[in-house]
Amino acid sequence: QVQLVESGGGLVQAGGSLRLSCAASGRTFKRCAVGWFRQAPGKEREFVAAINWNAYNTYYADSVKGRFTISRDNAKNTVYLQMNSLKPEDTAVYYCAADQYCSGHGCYQDASYEYWGQGTQVTVSS
């Protein structure tokens, strides 16, 4: 069993930065791929970024490439999402998710993840 808690969201002006954290409990977290997803009001949840268990592979949505960076510290059971050059269209609730078995392009799909956090709100003002 893995439990996930997101933090670091808030209100920021366009062009600013935020760093989200996803803190996990559970022995299997170190073997899990972790993804970040987001959901804006009235829109479907969408993939943002993912990282495999040993951080050798990272994946990004085209909309955030070059602006967001996903990383992890398995000693701290934490995954981070550094978000730079934020835009108003980045406004959403951001969720982290974990799963032992997703790999490659499977990690782009929210259905691939077993464990989910409660989300943290990110609001970017123009």
Side-chain angles (χ1 to χ4, degrees):
Q1 189 76 9
V2 174
Q3 294 181 327
L4 305 173
V5 178
E6 302 96 334
S7 62
L11 173 64
V12 65
Q13 288 188 331
S17 298
L18 284 173
R19 188 176 80 158
L20 305 184
S21 298
C22 174
S25 61
R27 293 182 178 180
T28 59
F29 179 76
K30 292 178 175 55
R31 299 193 296 274
C32 289
V34 175
W36 284 97
F37 292 79
R38 66 187 182 187
Q39 187 166 21
K43 295 188 177 182
E44 292 188 354
R45 187 163 56 191
E46 64 174 359
F47 170 78
V48 176
I51 188 166
N52 76 330
W53 70 274
N54 60 6
Y56 281 6
N57 295 305
T58 57
Y59 312 92
Y60 296 94
D62 288 343
S63 59
V64 307
K65 278 182 184 176
R67 299 189 298 123
F68 291 10
T69 302
I70 189 169
S71 62
R72 67 189 299 161
D73 184 342
N74 281 345
K76 295 182 178 179
N77 267 16
T78 303
V79 171
Y80 305 98
L81 185 68
Q82 177 67 45
M83 305 186 298
N84 298 328
S85 303
L86 282 161
K87 305 175 181 180
E89 51 264 43
D90 294 317
T91 295
V93 177
Y94 283 70
Y95 300 90
C96 68
D99 192 86
Q100 275 189 269
Y101 303 109
C102 83
S103 63
H105 290 289
C107 292
Y108 287 75
Q109 307 299 322
D110 57 1
S112 297
Y113 292 86
E114 181 173 4
Y115 306 108
W116 288 84
Q118 293 300 307
T120 185
Q121 176 71 47
V122 171
T123 303
V124 184
S125 63
S126 57

